Amino acid sequence: MEIKAIRMFDNGFMNQSFAFGGEEGKDKFDEQIIYRSSLQNFLIDTGDEVILIDTGFETGMSAPAKKLGAPLYMGELVADYMASFEALGYKAEQVTKILITHKHPDHTAALKYFPNAKVYISPEDADAMKLDGENIVRAQYGKPYHNFPNAQQIADNVWFIEAKGHTKGNSIVIAENDGLFYMFHGDVTYCDAALKANKLSIVFEDKEEARQTLDRVREFIKKNPTVYLSTHCPEGYENLEMKRVMKL
């Protein structure tokens, strides 16, 4: 198994109020404390299949301009999603499955470029996006996976896991390889600092579910050697490059 980052933006920033303020409120945190931001999604090459975890923005998307004092600046364009994907040596036709953590466009807008892929997504987020067709596979969670009660095995050592909160149908993905657990969590946190501080961001559809999901994520990480693969901070691709196990 090979896991690779599909990098789109880098050298951005987010403030602490945005990344930490979901439960106590933005005013309880310091807007002048800044964390690094980026944007990347991920790819799993099992040897038999090419599986994407989310897809980024569509080609040519105009990114928000840098604005000092903004709660979140995604960063400077590294490459469009498809250009970054193809630079890894793959063709769109090779992708067999796409696992969607949630419905937001920075995770779904490039779905249309993959003609042969089955798209796995929670029923709630499929409904919200009005996705239909033979290639859309609504997740059928039903098996426990460690401390997560609802999961579905997608391939050998690859699990699609119900993790509601950020959206009503939010999911995460865990891949097992060489004794490590690679957790693709979407936006359970926006930066690794929030995971370590046990803080929710200000972006969620169900706060109670988001808290339960973060609690389960932290419990899993404490019990299992986990490489935490974030979408919105550069630790996502750095952790992958170094196989850096998260410590809480």
Side-chain angles (χ1 to χ4, degrees):
M1 179 186 290
E2 291 185 85
I3 300 172
K4 302 178 182 181
I6 302 173
R7 293 177 57 188
M8 292 162 278
F9 290 83
D10 209 349
N11 300 315
F13 58 79
M14 68 184 79
N15 69 29
Q16 190 184 67
S17 295
F18 172 85
F20 283 28
E23 291 177 301
E24 294 96 326
K26 293 187 291 184
D27 59 329
K28 302 297 184 184
F29 298 95
D30 190 342
E31 292 182 352
Q32 295 186 24
I33 295 177
I34 300 296
Y35 304 104
R36 297 183 298 158
S37 179
S38 63
L39 180 64
Q40 59 275 331
N41 296 144
F42 298 92
L43 175 153
I44 301 172
D45 186 338
T46 69
D48 297 317
E49 294 191 89
V50 178
I51 301 172
L52 301 181
I53 314 300
D54 292 334
T55 68
F57 291 114
E58 62 186 347
T59 299
M61 187 277 297
S62 103
K66 183 176 184 178
K67 182 180 178 182
L68 296 178
L72 172 67
Y73 167 56
M74 197 158 43
E76 303 158 5
L77 181 66
V78 174
D80 282 329
Y81 179 85
M82 289 307 295
S84 185
F85 165 79
E86 289 167 356
L88 295 176
Y90 297 95
K91 296 180 180 179
E93 292 78 12
Q94 293 176 264
V95 175
T96 54
K97 294 171 182 171
I98 303 174
L99 312 183
I100 298 298
T101 64
H102 64 286
K103 64 188 178 183
H104 294 155
D106 50 336
H107 298 258
T108 60
L111 282 174
K112 59 187 177 183
Y113 301 127
F114 299 95
N116 300 327
K118 295 289 187 182
V119 178
Y120 289 75
I121 187 170
S122 69
E124 296 90 342
D125 278 11
D127 289 344
M129 294 181 68
K130 299 181 179 178
L131 292 178
D132 206 358
E134 292 183 0
N135 69 315
I136 303 301
V137 181
R138 291 166 182 255
Q140 296 181 339
Y141 312 109
K143 294 183 178 179
Y145 179 80
H146 291 257
N147 63 309
F148 296 99
N150 289 308
Q152 178 179 359
Q153 189 167 10
I154 300 299
D156 288 346
N157 300 315
V158 180
W159 292 82
F160 194 53
I161 300 165
E162 186 179 62
K164 295 182 178 185
H166 181 65
T167 66
K168 292 179 181 177
N170 203 74
S171 306
I172 64 173
V173 177
I174 295 178
E176 302 175 23
N177 191 43
D178 291 338
L180 297 177
F181 297 82
Y182 291 83
M183 181 182 287
F184 311 83
H185 66 83
D187 297 350
V188 170
T189 62
Y190 275 91
C191 62
D192 288 15
L195 173 75
K196 293 175 182 178
N198 196 17
K199 300 296 182 185
L200 294 178
S201 82
I202 64 171
V203 185
F204 50 76
E205 292 184 348
D206 188 314
K207 183 164 64 176
E208 290 183 5
E209 294 275 18
R211 166 44 61 193
Q212 186 175 65
T213 288
L214 183 55
D215 288 346
R216 285 177 176 152
V217 164
R218 284 173 53 83
E219 179 185 350
F220 182 91
I221 289 170
K222 288 176 181 178
K223 293 180 178 179
N224 302 283
T226 302
V227 181
Y228 192 69
L229 299 178
S230 294
T231 300
H232 288 284
C233 67
E235 288 95 329
Y237 62 80
E238 292 169 353
N239 290 345
L240 178 60
E241 289 169 2
M242 292 183 278
K243 297 183 180 179
R244 182 165 57 197
V245 171
M246 178 61 67
K247 302 294 184 184
L248 296 180

Coordinates of all heavy atoms in Angstrom, one line a residue, residues 18-55:
F18 N -11.1 30.7 15.1 CA -11.7 29.8 14.1 C -11.5 28.4 14.4 O -12.4 27.5 14.4 CB -11.1 30.2 12.7 CG -11.6 29.2 11.6 CD1 -12.8 29.4 11.0 CD2 -10.8 28.2 11.3 CE1 -13.2 28.6 10.0 CE2 -11.2 27.3 10.3 CZ -12.4 27.5 9.6
A19 N -10.3 28.0 14.7 CA -9.9 26.6 14.9 C -10.3 26.0 16.2 O -10.5 24.8 16.3 CB -8.4 26.4 14.8
F20 N -10.5 26.8 17.3 CA -10.8 26.3 18.6 C -12.1 26.7 19.2 O -12.5 26.2 20.2 CB -9.7 26.9 19.6 CG -8.4 26.3 19.6 CD1 -7.9 25.7 18.4 CD2 -7.5 26.3 20.7 CE1 -6.6 25.1 18.4 CE2 -6.3 25.7 20.7 CZ -5.8 25.2 19.5
G21 N -12.9 27.6 18.6 CA -14.0 28.3 19.2 C -15.3 27.7 19.1 O -16.3 28.3 19.4
G22 N -15.4 26.4 18.7 CA -16.7 25.8 18.4 C -17.6 25.6 19.6 O -18.8 25.7 19.5
E23 N -17.0 25.4 20.8 CA -17.8 25.1 22.0 C -17.9 26.3 22.9 O -18.9 26.7 23.4 CB -17.3 23.9 22.7 CG -17.6 22.6 21.9 CD -17.0 21.4 22.5 OE1 -15.7 21.3 22.7 OE2 -17.7 20.4 22.8
E24 N -16.7 26.9 23.3 CA -16.7 28.0 24.2 C -17.0 29.3 23.6 O -17.4 30.2 24.3 CB -15.3 28.1 24.9 CG -14.9 26.9 25.7 CD -14.0 25.9 25.0 OE1 -14.3 25.7 23.8 OE2 -13.1 25.3 25.6
G25 N -16.9 29.4 22.3 CA -17.2 30.6 21.6 C -15.9 31.3 21.1 O -14.8 31.2 21.7
K26 N -16.0 32.0 20.0 CA -14.8 32.6 19.3 C -14.1 33.6 20.3 O -12.9 33.8 20.3 CB -15.2 33.3 18.0 CG -15.6 32.3 16.9 CD -15.8 33.1 15.6 CE -17.0 34.0 15.7 NZ -17.3 34.6 14.4
D27 N -14.9 34.3 21.1 CA -14.4 35.4 21.9 C -13.5 34.9 23.0 O -12.8 35.6 23.7 CB -15.5 36.3 22.4 CG -16.5 35.5 23.3 OD1 -16.7 34.3 23.0 OD2 -17.1 36.1 24.2
K28 N -13.5 33.5 23.3 CA -12.7 33.0 24.4 C -11.3 32.7 23.9 O -10.5 32.3 24.7 CB -13.4 31.7 24.8 CG -14.8 31.8 25.4 CD -14.8 32.7 26.6 CE -16.3 32.8 27.1 NZ -16.4 33.7 28.3
F29 N -11.0 32.9 22.6 CA -9.7 32.6 22.1 C -9.1 33.8 21.4 O -9.8 34.8 21.1 CB -9.8 31.4 21.1 CG -10.3 30.1 21.8 CD1 -11.7 29.8 21.8 CD2 -9.4 29.3 22.5 CE1 -12.1 28.7 22.5 CE2 -9.9 28.2 23.2 CZ -11.2 27.9 23.2
D30 N -7.8 33.7 21.1 CA -7.0 34.8 20.7 C -6.9 34.8 19.1 O -6.3 33.9 18.5 CB -5.6 34.8 21.3 CG -4.8 36.0 21.1 OD1 -5.2 36.8 20.2 OD2 -3.8 36.2 21.8
E31 N -7.5 35.8 18.5 CA -7.5 35.9 17.0 C -6.0 36.2 16.5 O -5.8 36.0 15.3 CB -8.4 37.0 16.6 CG -9.9 36.7 16.8 CD -10.8 37.8 16.2 OE1 -10.3 38.9 15.8 OE2 -12.0 37.6 16.2
Q32 N -5.2 36.6 17.4 CA -3.8 36.9 17.0 C -2.9 35.7 17.1 O -1.7 35.8 16.7 CB -3.2 38.1 17.8 CG -4.0 39.4 17.6 CD -3.3 40.6 18.2 OE1 -2.2 40.6 18.5 NE2 -4.1 41.6 18.5
I33 N -3.4 34.6 17.6 CA -2.6 33.3 17.6 C -3.0 32.7 16.3 O -4.1 32.4 16.0 CB -3.0 32.4 18.8 CG1 -2.5 33.1 20.1 CG2 -2.3 31.1 18.6 CD1 -2.9 32.3 21.3
I34 N -1.9 32.4 15.5 CA -2.1 31.9 14.1 C -1.5 30.5 14.0 O -0.4 30.3 14.5 CB -1.4 32.9 13.1 CG1 -2.1 34.3 13.2 CG2 -1.5 32.4 11.7 CD1 -3.5 34.4 12.9
Y35 N -2.2 29.7 13.2 CA -1.7 28.4 12.9 C -1.6 28.3 11.3 O -2.3 28.9 10.6 CB -2.6 27.3 13.4 CG -2.9 27.3 14.8 CD1 -4.1 27.8 15.4 CD2 -1.9 26.9 15.7 CE1 -4.3 27.9 16.7 CE2 -2.1 27.0 17.1 CZ -3.3 27.5 17.6 OH -3.5 27.6 19.0
R36 N -0.6 27.5 10.9 CA -0.4 27.3 9.5 C -1.6 26.6 8.8 O -2.3 25.8 9.4 CB 0.8 26.5 9.2 CG 2.1 27.1 9.7 CD 3.3 26.2 9.3 NE 3.3 24.9 9.9 CZ 3.9 23.8 9.4 NH1 4.6 23.9 8.3 NH2 3.8 22.7 10.1
S37 N -1.9 27.0 7.5 CA -3.0 26.4 6.8 C -2.5 25.9 5.4 O -1.5 26.5 4.9 CB -4.1 27.4 6.7 OG -5.2 26.8 5.9
S38 N -3.2 24.9 4.9 CA -2.9 24.4 3.5 C -4.2 23.7 3.1 O -5.2 23.8 3.7 CB -1.7 23.5 3.5 OG -2.0 22.3 4.3
L39 N -4.1 23.1 1.9 CA -5.2 22.3 1.5 C -4.6 21.1 0.7 O -3.9 21.3 -0.3 CB -6.2 23.0 0.6 CG -7.4 22.2 0.0 CD1 -8.3 21.8 1.2 CD2 -8.2 23.0 -1.0
Q40 N -4.9 19.9 1.1 CA -4.5 18.7 0.4 C -5.6 17.6 0.7 O -6.2 17.6 1.7 CB -3.2 18.2 0.8 CG -3.0 17.9 2.3 CD -2.7 19.1 3.2 OE1 -2.1 20.0 2.7 NE2 -3.1 19.0 4.4
N41 N -5.8 16.7 -0.3 CA -6.5 15.5 -0.1 C -5.5 14.3 -0.3 O -4.3 14.6 -0.5 CB -7.7 15.4 -1.1 CG -8.7 16.5 -0.9 OD1 -9.3 17.0 -1.9 ND2 -9.0 16.9 0.3
F42 N -6.0 13.1 -0.3 CA -5.1 12.0 -0.3 C -5.5 10.9 -1.2 O -6.7 10.8 -1.7 CB -5.0 11.4 1.2 CG -4.5 12.4 2.1 CD1 -5.3 13.3 2.8 CD2 -3.1 12.6 2.3 CE1 -4.8 14.2 3.7 CE2 -2.6 13.5 3.2 CZ -3.4 14.3 3.9
L43 N -4.6 10.0 -1.5 CA -4.8 8.8 -2.4 C -4.2 7.6 -1.8 O -3.1 7.7 -1.2 CB -4.1 9.2 -3.8 CG -4.0 8.1 -4.9 CD1 -3.9 8.8 -6.2 CD2 -2.8 7.2 -4.7
I44 N -4.9 6.5 -1.9 CA -4.4 5.2 -1.5 C -4.2 4.3 -2.7 O -5.2 4.1 -3.4 CB -5.3 4.5 -0.5 CG1 -5.6 5.4 0.8 CG2 -4.8 3.1 -0.1 CD1 -6.6 4.8 1.7
D45 N -3.0 3.8 -2.9 CA -2.7 2.9 -4.0 C -2.5 1.5 -3.3 O -1.5 1.3 -2.6 CB -1.5 3.3 -4.8 CG -1.2 2.4 -6.0 OD1 -1.7 1.3 -6.0 OD2 -0.5 2.9 -6.9
T46 N -3.5 0.6 -3.4 CA -3.4 -0.7 -2.7 C -2.6 -1.7 -3.5 O -2.3 -2.8 -3.0 CB -4.8 -1.3 -2.5 OG1 -5.4 -1.7 -3.8 CG2 -5.7 -0.3 -1.8
G47 N -2.2 -1.3 -4.7 CA -1.6 -2.3 -5.6 C -2.6 -2.9 -6.6 O -2.3 -3.2 -7.8
D48 N -3.8 -3.0 -6.1 CA -4.9 -3.5 -7.0 C -5.9 -2.4 -7.4 O -6.6 -2.5 -8.4 CB -5.7 -4.6 -6.3 CG -4.9 -5.8 -6.0 OD1 -4.1 -6.2 -6.9 OD2 -4.9 -6.4 -4.9
E49 N -6.0 -1.4 -6.5 CA -6.9 -0.3 -6.7 C -6.3 1.0 -6.4 O -5.3 1.1 -5.6 CB -8.1 -0.4 -5.8 CG -9.0 -1.6 -6.0 CD -10.3 -1.5 -5.2 OE1 -11.3 -0.9 -5.7 OE2 -10.3 -2.0 -4.1
V50 N -6.8 2.1 -7.1 CA -6.5 3.5 -6.7 C -7.7 4.1 -6.1 O -8.7 4.2 -6.7 CB -6.0 4.3 -7.9 CG1 -5.7 5.7 -7.6 CG2 -4.8 3.6 -8.6
I51 N -7.6 4.5 -4.8 CA -8.7 5.0 -4.0 C -8.4 6.4 -3.6 O -7.3 6.7 -3.0 CB -8.9 4.1 -2.8 CG1 -9.2 2.6 -3.2 CG2 -10.1 4.7 -1.9 CD1 -9.3 1.7 -2.0
L52 N -9.3 7.3 -3.9 CA -9.1 8.7 -3.5 C -9.9 8.9 -2.2 O -11.0 8.4 -2.0 CB -9.7 9.7 -4.5 CG -9.0 9.6 -5.9 CD1 -9.6 10.7 -6.8 CD2 -7.5 9.8 -5.8
I53 N -9.3 9.7 -1.3 CA -10.0 10.2 -0.1 C -10.3 11.7 -0.4 O -9.5 12.5 -0.4 CB -9.2 10.1 1.2 CG1 -8.5 8.8 1.3 CG2 -10.0 10.4 2.4 CD1 -9.4 7.6 1.4
D54 N -11.6 11.9 -0.7 CA -12.0 13.3 -1.2 C -11.4 13.7 -2.5 O -10.5 13.1 -3.0 CB -11.8 14.3 -0.1 CG -12.6 14.1 1.2 OD1 -13.7 13.5 1.1 OD2 -12.2 14.5 2.3
T55 N -12.1 14.7 -3.1 CA -11.5 15.4 -4.2 C -11.6 16.9 -4.0 O -12.5 17.3 -3.4 CB -12.2 15.0 -5.5 OG1 -13.6 15.6 -5.5 CG2 -12.3 13.5 -5.7

